[in-house]
Amino acid sequence: MDNRHSVNMVFRCLSRRKKMHEHNKATSVAFVSIRPFAITNSRLELIHSFLEAGAQIYIVANLKEVKPEEKNILDGLTAAGVCLYQVSFSVGRTFGFHDILAIYQLSRFFKQYPTDLLHTFNLKTTLYTFVAGVFCRPPKNTIKINTVTGFGSSISPERTISDVAKWVIGNALSSFNLTIFQNSDDYEFSQKFTRLHESQKALIISSGVNCERFAFKERASSNRTNLRILMVARIIRQKGIQDFLDLQAKLSLRCPNVRFSLIGEYHNENPDSYPFKKLQQSNVEYLGFQSNLEEHFWNHDIFVSTSTYNEGVPRSLIEAASTGLPIVSYKIPGTSDVVIDGVTGHLVEKNNMNELLQAVVRLVEDDDVRKLMGQRASLFIKKNFNKQIIIRKQTAIYRHFGFIVE
């Protein structure tokens, strides 16, 4: 499903629902996310638009352990009048004390700060908002929107979904006025286990990319000589770290001069963390977390993603493609929306190492095809996923519900 169709779908779905307000100014808006990065990275313009319209903004997230550059953004938002509210959302699949605490903290927030608009990001925050609402329900006139940034590893077409999970997820999503899906696979898959009416769902592919920051740049490398391959991912098993290391080992036998780099955060507290010692023992250069990703994209020739994690649209894919990197990725939900197989890169079946290796070899050995795919990738991203295009779609949704967004 291309992005032009998603634009039409947004307005077609929304047009079927009667507006609940006519030109009402949102006096208070809450954005809820596990981490503030999901809000500060791609929705700053929307926040400032609401501020200019006179709204009180709340960012509800786990505000601990934020990075220095993220803290600077949050400090700037606080100075502009945004209120920050701590909720102990945990990262990972294990349900424990922090999750119970997060639900309690959410219910306290709803009681203390009733809002006109509530927008959650990530399925976990949506589910916890639903449960917290049992104890302290937001006001009936609150418009609730959630953005499903991916169903994660526990919910996918390959897995059997229990009746309990169907009931919980279905009821949680149904409790919102609108659910926004970020890829066409999740949009279609959701029909199998939710009772969402067409007017309760919309499709906006990805959160967009800053095409000025991640600008196209021509690569000078020639085939097989000093080529560099990059992957950006959190260092957890579901991101396919082992497959990336195996790819390097296999390709080195055929193309020994090709170098591999890996960028991403390492979380000791995540039960799915990849063993750091194994990463250190590999021949992949691990660069840790990097805030200047665009410079690393410009210094590499091919971008690879071996992730099997079901997220909305991998942000690193659209950022890398925007700079002119051809993409080789496993075919998982979201990738087919942003990678045109055989045109801007190659999509291969999940966990098929031989197919993955052959796709990378084709790009390594053919300088002209590699550069052409990179050029096409950049043009495709700019045409369809420029952040301003996505912001216009998001703004249209808020306006549909009667909120003034400057």
Side-chain angles (χ1 to χ4, degrees), residues 42-62:
S42 56
R43 294 170 178 89
L44 280 179
E45 292 88 347
L46 289 171
I47 290 175
H48 285 295
S49 294
F50 274 114
L51 287 172
E52 291 172 7
Q56 173 63 65
I57 304 295
Y58 300 93
I59 292 179
V60 182
N62 191 334

Side-chain angles (χ1 to χ4, degrees), residues 297-324:
F297 290 143
W298 292 330
N299 291 325
H300 286 78
D301 304 280
I302 300 169
F303 188 87
V304 169
S305 174
T306 53
S307 174
T308 59
Y309 187 76
N310 184 357
E311 50 194 311
V313 169
R315 186 179 63 255
S316 59
L317 259 65
I318 58 175
E319 291 175 346
S322 181
T323 68

Side-chain angles (χ1 to χ4, degrees), residues 40 50 116 119 129 132 172 252-253 280 291-292 329 344 368 389:
T40 59
F50 274 114
D116 301 301
H119 193 155
T129 296
S252 66
L253 299 177
Q280 290 180 310
S291 59
N292 57 334
S329 172
T344 67
D368 293 334
I389 296 174

